[in-house]
Amino acid sequence: MEAVLLQGKNLLEDLSLEEFRSPHSLGKGASIGAHYRHCLDHFRQLFAGLETGTIDYDARTRESLLETDLAVALAVTESLRISAQELHKRSEEDPIEVCCGVTYGDKEAGSASSTVGREMMFCISHTIHHYALIAILLRSAQREVPEGFGVAPSTMRYRQKMAGAY
């Protein structure tokens, strides 16, 4: 988890404020900041849930400052990265309840039993997916993207294996 947060931090440090918060036509007006804030929201809910025993992904704060103020996004990223360093003190097998709406309409969010390790995997995978979207937005603006940004670790290993096969 710390590695994916560090990837995000490194990317943010290389962006201008304009690049971070400008809406993109490819994403129906979503900015890099909006995608990044979405990732931070999920990590924040994970850490909040570790304290209460329930992760509620629907209760994300969607704090607009995180998608418009690069310095705030960097500070929250660093705070989460430090918190991630403490996760080794927990067992990945610790049970946790998860709430998340998965239907449209008036139906309430469902809940399910999970583990801390599974939810860590979810947040990392979800973030990598959004990093891939961020990479598309950057490339559409003719901006270079760091090697491996938005690429799943299994895909990177596969590419390395295939490169060695030639």
Side-chain angles (χ1 to χ4, degrees), residues 113-125:
S113 297
S114 189
T115 64
V116 169
R118 172 65 190 100
E119 295 312 307
M120 288 168 47
M121 287 171 47
F122 164 72
C123 284
I124 291 166
S125 177

Side-chain angles (χ1 to χ4, degrees), residues 95-114:
I96 196 152
E97 195 68 16
V98 178
C99 298
C100 184
V102 293
T103 62
Y104 297 101
D106 295 335
K107 190 171 181 181
E108 290 292 318
S111 68
S113 297
S114 189

